[in-house]
Amino acid sequence: LRIPCAPVCVLLFTPNTANHIHIRGLSSIFPNMAVILFAILLLASTSGVHGATSSCSDLCYEVSWNLNQPTPSRRVIHPVTAFPANHSLVGRSRCGTTIQAGTLIPPSGMYSSSTSNTPSMSSCSATTGGNLFYQYNWPKQSSSNTGFSRNDTDLLYFVIDSNGVLNFVLVHDSPNNPDGGRVRLAFDSPDLGNQNVDIVTMDDPGERSSTDCSSYQAYNSKNDCYAWKSSTAKGDFWWQWQTCCTDGMVLGPMPCAGFRFNLEYKFVSGLKSFRLGDFDSITNTMNFLDLSLTDVVQQGIQVSATTCNSYCAPKTSCGECSSDPLCSWCVNTASCISINLPAQCPTGLKVNNTMCCPSCSQFTNCQGCSAAPGCAWSFDRGSCVSGTEDQGLCKTSKWTSYYNANS
């Protein structure tokens, strides 16, 4: 329970406490909204990190939803840098190459979209790492074959090759889902204009349009539409897929940072949820952030992509910084750094999410504690602890007064 400092005596000694207690809960949901706004903001920074590939080696992509709430829901995901063990291409020989679990996503490789399990070398051609990850048309025809597809679900991945080049991978639905589906999607990224970003993979190929896809939606076309203009990095897409197959695309190449893009779902049928890939490079496994349609219908989703160091840097208090498992507070420099870059704080105390901040522990009363950023007064403990309402506290507390910048 969150309670303010000032009325604590009233809270403890009078029965009328309803006006002083705030219970954190889920936001209200409006399931009948027709348009889904899916805003992806990729905000770049390479502060404190040098070199093209090194700046892409420690990336934190923050996803936010329930954006109309005082404290939006947040989660950090990480782009795919290697083939997970359960990717469909792992352990299979294709075009003279066998991909192993943990193989870094290559800048390029040989692949055949032939439906044969043993394609001829003449059918093999060079392609990008993002296209290899998508694995179009084999073993399931006219489909992506990552091994992670799920019925009635949109899958979104950020895939980075060993040269630090990013591809955006989008997969609609899964093969052999009995209802199929349709999606109209608009893409806009002024930052990527004139940077040679293009459609690397069309699922299905050969259905590109030079105009827009409004007529495809109006007539419920069974053909896909890819209206993409590289000079402005604007796109209009329409997909309709049958029960046999998936739909989707790979868009790239992109820098791993330095741009923003927006996605707006103008029409959706046959989808019930979204999954954003979250790759664990230590265990070489693919995790997912799962969101329902109702999670995104109100104000959409925001994704900020940057280095982890730049993600941590705006956190200006020990409590806000150390409560995030991706960050560490350097006491000597009073700065927040990526937990993966301890060399940036070579001397002195580093506080992470397994510790409490000394700057909070020094307070002995609620007023002083809750007036300090990153601190919170625990009434049941009778002490000041560090942390934030959305990230949690360094010690469990049932009755808490958090720092409020507006109070």
Side-chain angles (χ1 to χ4, degrees):
L1 292 174
R2 178 182 181 176
I3 56 179
C5 289
V8 61
C9 294
V10 176
L11 246 166
L12 296 176
F13 295 106
T14 68
N16 185 15
T17 65
N19 292 332
H20 304 292
I21 299 177
H22 169 66
I23 301 175
R24 296 176 63 198
L26 298 176
S27 64
S28 59
I29 293 174
F30 302 92
N32 296 321
M33 294 184 69
V35 177
I36 301 168
L37 176 63
F38 202 135
I40 295 192
L41 308 175
L42 295 177
L43 306 178
S45 176
T46 56
S47 175
V49 184
H50 305 279
T53 55
S54 63
S55 67
C56 296
S57 62
D58 189 30
L59 294 169
C60 290
Y61 288 29
E62 185 180 46
V63 181
S64 302
W65 65 100
N66 291 331
L67 301 179
N68 61 339
Q69 298 300 303
T71 304
S73 303
R74 294 187 176 95
R75 165 84 178 273
V76 170
I77 62 172
H78 302 88
V80 181
T81 57
F83 284 91
N86 48 348
H87 190 281
S88 295
L89 200 57
V90 168
R92 294 183 172 184
S93 179
R94 193 82 172 162
C95 295
T97 303
T98 301
I99 299 292
Q100 301 296 340
T103 298
L104 294 178
I105 304 294
S108 64
M110 300 297 290
Y111 182 71
S112 171
S113 59
S114 166
T115 57
S116 171
N117 289 333
T118 55
S120 64
M121 290 302 296
S122 62
S123 71
C124 300
S125 60
T127 191
T128 66
N131 201 5
L132 281 174
F133 187 87
Y134 196 91
Q135 197 183 333
Y136 178 71
N137 207 53
W138 177 79
K140 300 288 186 179
Q141 294 186 33
S142 302
S143 296
S144 167
N145 287 273
T146 63
F148 304 109
S149 60
R150 190 173 72 171
N151 285 356
D152 302 326
T153 300
D154 242 20
L155 283 88
L156 298 93
Y157 311 88
F158 298 96
V159 179
I160 292 182
D161 69 30
S162 56
N163 281 349
V165 175
L166 177 73
N167 282 276
F168 174 62
V169 179
L170 174 64
V171 181
H172 305 302
D173 217 337
S174 65
N176 302 319
N177 184 21
D179 59 357
R182 293 167 290 163
V183 164
R184 172 103 181 272
L185 179 69
F187 182 107
D188 185 15
S189 178
D191 297 328
L192 291 175
N194 293 314
Q195 293 196 36
N196 299 316
V197 177
D198 208 342
I199 303 167
V200 178
T201 298
M202 289 186 288
D203 181 355
D204 301 301
E207 295 180 312
R208 189 160 187 161
S209 170
S210 59
T211 56
D212 64 66
C213 300
S214 56
S215 62
Y216 286 75
Q217 178 184 346
Y219 293 101
N220 194 25
S221 174
K222 294 184 179 180
N223 295 321
D224 295 343
C225 174
Y226 296 84
W228 173 256
K229 193 172 183 179
S230 293
S231 61
T232 59
K234 288 187 177 182
D236 187 18
F237 306 97
W238 166 263
W239 291 276
Q240 179 163 176
W241 60 96
Q242 305 305 312
T243 60
C244 63
C245 313
T246 69
D247 248 331
M249 67 176 177
V250 179
L251 197 63
M254 306 174 184
C256 68
F259 64 94
R260 298 169 293 176
F261 71 72
N262 301 321
L263 288 175
E264 181 185 356
Y265 281 76
K266 293 187 172 183
F267 180 85
V268 175
S269 175
L271 295 176
K272 298 177 181 178
S273 61
F274 296 91
R275 305 192 93 184
L276 286 89
D278 180 17
F279 184 67
D280 187 333
S281 60
I282 304 299
T283 61
N284 195 47
T285 55
M286 180 68 77
N287 303 307
F288 291 95
L289 169 59
D290 287 310
L291 302 175
S292 68
L293 283 179
T294 51
D295 284 325
V296 300
V297 295
Q298 294 186 54
Q299 292 189 346
I301 293 177
Q302 293 181 335
V303 179
S304 300
T306 183
T307 64
C308 293
N309 214 39
S310 296
Y311 161 76
C312 295
K315 302 176 187 294
T316 57
S317 71
C318 177
E320 181 188 10
C321 174
S322 62
S323 62
D324 192 316
L326 299 172
C327 305
S328 180
W329 181 257
C330 182
V331 174
N332 279 1
T333 61
S335 60
C336 190
I337 62 174
S338 169
I339 201 168
N340 296 321
L341 299 173
Q344 294 197 356
C345 186
T347 61
L349 179 65
K350 291 185 284 291
V351 183
N352 56 40
N353 68 335
T354 65
M355 308 163 65
C356 288
C357 295
S359 56
C360 295
S361 302
Q362 66 178 333
F363 293 104
T364 59
N365 59 68
C366 176
Q367 283 74 16
C369 172
S370 60
C375 300
W377 183 259
S378 171
F379 290 103
D380 44 311
R381 289 182 176 275
S383 63
C384 188
V385 295
S386 55
T388 62
E389 188 172 6
D390 58 335
Q391 291 281 1
L393 300 171
C394 64
K395 292 182 179 180
T396 303
S397 178
K398 295 180 181 178
W399 298 73
T400 310
S401 177
Y402 290 87
Y403 167 75
N404 185 349
N406 298 319
S407 62

